[in-house]
């Protein structure tokens, strides 16, 4: 791996705002430059995807990305399209993709160890139309929260602002989703993930045990006609209880996996969140999986899976 240390062969695209300026707090730029990598910062004039494309044209053999899932997704799309390896530096707030890669998210700079002893590992990418996602695509309540003013500064507050209408059944998604157990009309939440989540305790919410199943994860939540007082807890319990089998009639939660998931509807467009970034997508919305589409470069000294070829640690 020593040849990758040459200046210009590794370019890391960094979002200085991600994670509350986590790059600055952990001195990611200096630590990356000490390895011989270049760090290019996003700005109002140049987004992550355009910088990644510029880096490929300049001769970069490895693309790095320091930021949250939205920034990672943008650079991952370029890496996959140009057959470059991707180095993920977890400098976002939640770092879902980095966590499920088995990276140590307590210190973003530790991921730079991959430049010395990296293991190339193939993982899947989700796709919605021409766009890719590393974590998920959300519709309904979660997507609406992204549109709230100040979402980045106060995510719990944004969810609190939009949740009441959905929980009371006064708001819903103007779309329908086909599931293995029938079509769900006008749900409150649709979540399509790059590989299925493990929802059973004691796993943390949003954990994916594998990024190499070649399957999307689908979650649909619809408010039951007779909603219990604590609707959120009810839906959460139903998700965990029935994630590997058909849901009981009228319970309001459907969980399954598939190679493709499509949302249909009469509207022209749907608001959505792709890896936490608000977008508007034309209907029908077609989600699919791209098995092994992305090569990630991971340090050998990391807390967890995946190992090469998807072999568990």
């Amino acid at each position: 791996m020593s040849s990758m240390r040459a200046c210009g062969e590794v370019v890391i695209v960094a979002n200085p705002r991600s994670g509350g300026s986590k790059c600055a707090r952990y001195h990611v730029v200096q630590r990356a430059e000490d390895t011989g990598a270049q760090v290019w910062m996003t700005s109002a004039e140049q987004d992550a995807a355009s910088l990644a494309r510029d880096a490929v044209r300049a001769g970069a053999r490895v693309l790095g990305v320091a930021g949250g899932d939205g920034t990672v997704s943008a650079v991952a799309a370029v890496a996959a399209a140009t057959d470059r390896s991707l180095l993920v530096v977890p400098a976002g707030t939640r770092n879902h993709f980095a966590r499920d890669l088995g990276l140590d998210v307590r210190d973003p700079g530790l991921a730079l160890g991959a430049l010395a002893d990296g293991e190339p590992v193939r993982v899947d990418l989700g796709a919605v139309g021409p766009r890719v996602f590393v974590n998920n695509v959300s519709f309904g309540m979660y997507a609406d929260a992204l549109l709230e003013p100040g979402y980045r500064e106060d995510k719990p507050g944004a969810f609190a602002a939009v949740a009441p209408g959905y929980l009371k059944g006064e708001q819903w998604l103007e779309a329908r989703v086909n599931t293995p157990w029938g079509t769900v009309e006008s749900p409150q939440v649709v979540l399509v993930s790059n590989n299925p989540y493990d929802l059973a305790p004691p796993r943390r919410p949003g954990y994916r045990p594998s990024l190499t199943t070649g399957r999307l994860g689908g979650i649909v939540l619809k408010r039951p006609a007779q909603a219990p007082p604590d609707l959120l807890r009810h839906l959460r319990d139903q998700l965990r209880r029935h994630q590997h089998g058909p849901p009981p009639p009228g319970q309001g939660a459907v969980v399954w996996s598939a190679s493709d998931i499509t949302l249909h509807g009469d509207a022209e467009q749907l608001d959505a969140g792709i890896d936490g970034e608000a977008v508007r997508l034309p209907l029908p919305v077609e989600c699919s999986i791209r098995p092994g589409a992305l090569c990630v470069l991971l340090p050998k000294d990391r807390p967890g899976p995946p190992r090469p070829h998807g072999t568990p640690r």
Side-chain angles (χ1 to χ4, degrees), residues 240-289:
R240 289 172 171 174
R241 195 172 301 155
H242 304 292
Q243 65 172 321
H244 299 302
Q251 291 297 328
V254 184
V255 184
W256 79 105
S257 66
S259 58
D260 56 84
I261 296 174
T262 302
L263 283 74
H264 300 274
D266 298 326
E268 291 186 1
Q269 297 178 316
L270 284 181
D271 289 325
I274 299 181
D275 288 332
E277 301 293 330
V279 298
R280 186 159 286 173
L281 299 174
L283 281 162
V285 177
E286 299 177 350
C287 303
S288 61
I289 194 78

Side-chain angles (χ1 to χ4, degrees), residues 122-126 194-195 211-215 289-293:
R122 285 274 170 187
V123 298
D124 305 338
L125 279 178
N194 170 26
N195 283 259
L211 292 169
T212 60
T213 68
R215 307 280 286 180
I289 194 78
R290 298 181 184 177

Side-chain angles (χ1 to χ4, degrees), residues 8 30 32 37 65 71 81 87 113 123 125 133 139 153 176 181 183 194 205 209 217-218 220 240 282:
Q30 183 60 55
V65 56
T71 306
L87 170 72
V123 298
L125 279 178
F133 56 95
F139 305 89
E153 294 74 28
R176 58 187 179 273
W181 302 286
T183 300
N194 170 26
V220 174
R240 289 172 171 174

Side-chain angles (χ1 to χ4, degrees), residues 174-258:
E174 294 186 0
R176 58 187 179 273
V177 187
N178 295 330
T179 80
W181 302 286
T183 300
V184 180
E185 300 270 0
S186 306
Q188 269 68 39
V189 173
V190 176
L191 194 67
V192 180
S193 57
N194 170 26
N195 283 259
Y197 294 122
D198 185 349
L199 302 171
R203 296 295 191 186
R204 66 180 183 273
Y207 170 75
R208 290 167 293 177
S210 174
L211 292 169
T212 60
T213 68
R215 307 280 286 180
L216 297 170
I219 298 175
V220 174
L221 302 179
K222 182 169 181 175
R223 185 181 187 275
Q226 299 297 322
D230 193 340
L231 180 58
L232 283 179
R233 177 175 292 182
H234 170 80
L235 292 175
R236 181 193 63 200
D237 291 344
Q238 292 302 319
L239 283 173
R240 289 172 171 174
R241 195 172 301 155
H242 304 292
Q243 65 172 321
H244 299 302
Q251 291 297 328
V254 184
V255 184
W256 79 105
S257 66

Side-chain angles (χ1 to χ4, degrees), residues 86 148 164 206 283 286 311:
L86 182 73
E148 283 292 301
L283 281 162
E286 299 177 350
T311 302

